[in-house]
Amino acid sequence: MDIVRTAIGLMSGTSMDGIDVALLRTDGRGFIERGPFLGVPYDGGFRERLKRGLDLARPLTDRTARPDELRDIEIELTERHVDAVTAFLDKFSLSRDEIDLLGFHGQTVLHRPDDALTIQIGDGALLAQRTGISVVYDMRANDMVHGGQGAPLVPAYHAALAGRFQKEGQTTCFVNIGGISNLTYIGAEGRIAAFDSGPGNTLIDQWVEMQTGKTYDPGGEIAGRGKVMPDIAARYLGSPFFQGNIRRSLDRGDFKPLADGEASLEDGARTLAYVAAASIVKSAGYLPESPSVYIVCGGGRLNGTIMAEFADMAGKKGSTVMSAEQAGFDGDAMEAEAWAYLAVRSLEGLPLTYPGTTGVSQPVTGGVVAEPAR
């Protein structure tokens, strides 16, 4: 009989806006019981520290290297995850003894798949010691050792969810619109294909912050007042990333932000929202077939301008677009839930990635386990 474990997933994504904390009871296979969710935002000062971490990581070629300042940021990031776990347990009246393990993503500060290099800061051993709970972390590296892109990892969880949702003969595509967007296609026969699809919220966030000091466009309201600037949109959508049959994973810095003065606040936000939607549809052209339905999770699903553009573009190709909530899921919690699910799979030695998701040579597991002192 498969062992059902209670796991907490911890996700800090490319938007660098905070820590998502979600509980899942699962056997790492088909049994999934979703629990509560908590979002813990970062303050502006720490977001700037994380951005500094991106700069510090840029020259690195050793994924274990932590120059002094980057190590300081890593420790602070880990301590904030300790605080997030504590807040989650307190809020939902849970004890540490009830939690079997933590799935810890950390913060990606560098991702260069062509160089088989990915760096996520976050000290799994320190997190285990400070929380008293076993931790599974560093789940991307083994995929790269075996020729994969190291991303995306969430498709294994998407496939498990689709098994509970998908109607006979239907093809489903999960879309996560985070800082970077990614797609997971599940065919009628269970075939999985997944890849990063292009810029999600990052370009919009960078633009709005540059122009207003705010960290994002709430609901897509700013974009809704602007108009698409075709030349700028064409520049982004003409990127080599969208050409050729080999899909690759993206780093936050692969698409450069708009320069100050290139557009008005509203037109820049509108154009970048259009690019976010068009990137998904353009990349979906590499899927085995056009999906029957797209299920959208991540923060981008709350941007009404992106969603309206996406629904219009997908509808012209015969596809329906719905939010994760419309499909019975929690679009905020899904990535954190995935990290809990993957942590359990890692303990069981089950594959986290597949040739159809990361381009790895064969299905492989991954992750490192850190145990607290008993």
Side-chain angles (χ1 to χ4, degrees):
M1 182 177 176
D2 297 330
I3 300 171
V4 174
R5 292 182 171 90
T6 300
I8 290 175
L10 301 166
M11 182 70 200
S12 179
T14 51
S15 295
M16 299 192 301
D17 53 0
I19 303 166
D20 292 338
V21 189
L23 185 141
L24 205 69
R25 293 188 69 247
T26 182
D27 60 359
R29 297 173 172 84
F31 178 83
I32 296 170
E33 187 176 278
R34 292 167 44 229
F37 167 80
L38 179 67
V40 181
Y42 292 139
D43 58 80
F46 186 64
R47 288 186 75 247
E48 291 304 313
R49 291 263 286 157
L50 286 179
K51 290 180 185 177
R52 172 64 178 157
L54 302 179
D55 294 335
L56 293 168
R58 196 168 292 123
L60 299 181
T61 57
D62 177 358
R63 55 181 297 275
T64 65
R66 298 292 186 271
D68 290 347
E69 188 180 351
L70 187 60
R71 176 57 179 163
D72 291 342
I73 296 170
E74 179 173 57
I75 292 171
E76 184 175 353
L77 176 81
T78 306
E79 292 291 352
R80 285 173 178 264
H81 278 73
V82 173
D83 293 343
V85 171
T86 301
F88 182 85
L89 296 176
D90 289 346
K91 180 177 178 63
F92 298 108
S93 301
L94 295 164
S95 72
R96 284 167 168 72
D97 292 342
E98 294 177 79
I99 311 303
D100 294 309
L101 73 160
L102 306 175
F104 182 30
H105 177 270
Q107 182 69 52
T108 299
V109 291
L110 186 70
H111 188 70
R112 290 183 183 153
D114 294 341
D115 300 327
L117 178 64
T118 188
I119 301 175
Q120 287 76 43
I121 58 171
D123 188 326
L126 178 60
L127 183 63
Q129 292 306 118
R130 297 279 285 110
T131 61
I133 303 170
S134 300
V135 175
V136 179
Y137 67 105
D138 198 17
M139 292 191 232
R140 298 187 187 275
N142 196 47
D143 177 82
M144 284 190 158
V145 169
H146 290 84
Q149 294 267 312
L153 264 66
V154 178
Y157 183 56
H158 285 159
L161 291 180
R164 300 147 60 91
F165 167 87
Q166 194 160 298
K167 297 179 176 65
E168 185 175 352
Q170 188 180 65
T171 56
T172 302
C173 184
F174 285 87
V175 182
N176 179 62
I177 307 179
I180 300 296
S181 294
N182 54 68
L183 308 178
T184 302
Y185 165 92
I186 299 99
E189 305 302 321
R191 178 182 177 184
I192 303 175
F195 41 79
D196 285 354
S197 59
N201 300 317
T202 291
L203 292 175
I204 302 169
D205 294 348
Q206 289 170 331
W207 175 248
V208 170
E209 187 168 16
M210 179 196 302
Q211 299 298 314
T212 72
K214 297 179 180 178
T215 55
Y216 69 107
D217 178 7
E221 294 172 6
I222 297 171
R225 300 195 298 268
K227 64 181 184 297
V228 176
M229 302 182 71
D231 290 349
I232 292 176
R235 186 178 80 213
Y236 281 111
L237 295 171
S239 164
F241 170 78
F242 298 108
Q243 313 303 319
N245 291 322
I246 298 176
R247 301 293 84 211
R248 62 180 295 273
S249 54
L250 286 166
D251 181 73
R252 175 186 165 95
D254 283 343
F255 285 85
K256 302 303 179 188
L258 283 178
D260 193 17
E262 275 199 271
S264 70
L265 166 65
E266 293 81 2
D267 289 353
R270 179 76 171 82
T271 302
L272 295 173
Y274 174 87
V275 167
S279 295
I280 296 166
V281 176
K282 195 174 183 73
S283 289
Y286 292 97
L287 295 173
E289 60 183 303
S290 185
S292 308
V293 59
Y294 289 96
I295 299 173
V296 187
C297 55
R301 82 192 188 289
L302 304 177
N303 184 310
T305 305
I306 294 177
M307 289 294 283
E309 290 279 16
F310 181 31
D312 179 64
M313 295 177 195
K316 290 174 181 175
K317 295 182 177 294
S319 302
T320 300
V321 173
M322 64 174 64
S323 69
E325 285 73 17
Q326 289 172 314
F329 306 124
D330 184 334
D332 288 327
M334 195 174 291
E335 275 205 290
E337 289 173 357
W339 240 253
Y341 183 77
L342 292 168
V344 173
R345 287 185 69 84
S346 176
L347 274 191
E348 293 290 323
L350 295 170
L352 306 187
T353 56
Y354 302 84
T357 63
T358 64
V360 69
S361 59
Q362 61 190 33
V364 294
T365 190
V368 177
V369 180
E371 299 284 0
R374 301 296 184 185

